[in-house]
Amino acid sequence: MSSIFDLFKKIESENQNQTEPNTISYIVTGLGNPGDKYTFTRHNTGFLALDFIAQKLGVRLHKLKFKSLCAEAALNGRRVLFLKPQTFMNLSGEAVRAAADFYKIPPENILVIFDDVNFDVGTLRIRRSGSDGGHNGMKNIIYQMNSDACPRIKIGVGKKPSPNYDLADFVLSTFSEADRKVLFSTFENVYDCVMRIVGGDIDKAMSLYNK
């Protein structure tokens, strides 16, 4: 005969199963380039933001799958796959498509976080869909998914110091100490955006952070 403690354990397990979804229904990907030399470059802002979010959720992006470092976590009622593509920026879409095909995730449920050189450091812009805006990682995702319907969070990394400054050199440059502090202080807002968007309230995220 089962003890009262066994009964409590069974009830607790059933409750956890009800509140912890076990089927991936959403993908959140941060964009960047693999390798230590790129870690704190402007182009790796998506990676840095995703690392912050993973830490908040108590998970580690260390499992190698779908050409990515990935982790899973429950977030706002959904089971979410977090991806850091290891394909280098220009081929990010290969990793995203591999995961999306495996879990049958539509573009509307793929949130992309990446850097934007059109805004000051730490400025956020949330978009429901649209063009790649000249970002090669986003461009490849749109190409691979054959859709521009992926929502995205763009994080400002500062503007080129002059119009003639080489864009590739700029995005692969590192932040000053002051700019890095500003950027990192923004990640809490990025986390809030992700929570809202995954939960189905992108309009609220846009109204709060698209200033």
Side-chain angles (χ1 to χ4, degrees):
M1 184 176 179
S2 298
S3 71
I4 188 68
F5 299 106
D6 292 333
L7 181 60
F8 283 157
K9 287 180 180 179
K10 181 181 179 183
I11 292 172
E12 183 180 17
S13 176
E14 289 174 349
N15 287 338
Q16 287 177 345
N17 289 337
Q18 291 172 2
T19 59
E20 294 282 335
N22 56 19
T23 301
I24 298 294
S25 63
Y26 215 101
I27 294 172
V28 176
T29 183
L31 302 187
N33 288 307
D36 291 343
K37 68 178 182 178
Y38 297 111
T39 299
F40 293 109
T41 60
R42 299 172 197 274
H43 227 17
N44 270 43
T45 296
F47 274 11
L48 294 171
L50 206 66
D51 285 337
F52 177 88
I53 292 166
Q55 186 176 37
K56 290 275 290 186
L57 295 172
V59 298
R60 290 178 58 223
L61 291 151
H62 65 98
K63 184 178 181 181
L64 189 58
K65 194 175 182 181
F66 308 121
K67 302 180 181 179
S68 304
L69 293 176
C70 58
E72 298 178 17
L75 185 65
N76 220 343
R78 292 178 181 266
R79 192 74 185 169
V80 178
L81 179 70
F82 296 93
L83 291 181
K84 288 171 63 176
Q86 301 296 291
T87 55
F88 284 94
M89 183 67 79
N90 292 2
L91 299 176
S92 299
E94 293 183 359
V96 173
R97 189 184 69 177
D101 286 351
F102 184 84
Y103 290 110
K104 306 293 190 293
I105 307 296
E108 294 81 4
N109 283 12
I110 301 172
L111 175 59
V112 188
I113 307 171
F114 59 95
D115 57 291
D116 195 308
V117 298
N118 296 303
F119 302 108
D120 293 336
V121 175
T123 300
L124 300 184
R125 285 294 183 274
I126 296 96
R127 296 286 184 265
R128 189 185 303 276
S129 60
S131 70
D132 56 66
H135 191 281
N136 287 333
M138 193 69 225
K139 182 183 298 183
N140 193 247
I141 290 173
I142 291 173
Y143 170 74
Q144 291 287 343
M145 297 300 299
N146 194 29
S147 172
D148 65 357
C150 298
R152 68 284 313 257
I153 300 172
K154 301 192 284 186
I155 305 174
V157 296
K159 301 173 184 178
K160 292 193 303 180
S162 71
N164 295 328
Y165 200 98
D166 185 76
L167 180 60
D169 288 342
F170 182 67
V171 297
L172 293 179
S173 66
T174 57
F175 294 96
S176 67
E177 188 61 32
D179 280 348
R180 189 187 295 190
K181 288 180 180 178
V182 172
L183 181 72
F184 284 11
S185 70
T186 303
F187 289 161
E188 192 70 50
N189 290 340
V190 176
Y191 174 74
D192 185 61
C193 286
V194 172
M195 287 279 290
R196 294 177 187 278
I197 294 170
V198 170
D201 198 1
I202 191 172
D203 289 334
K204 183 63 174 180
M206 290 192 291
S207 70
L208 285 173
Y209 297 107
N210 286 352
K211 305 298 186 184

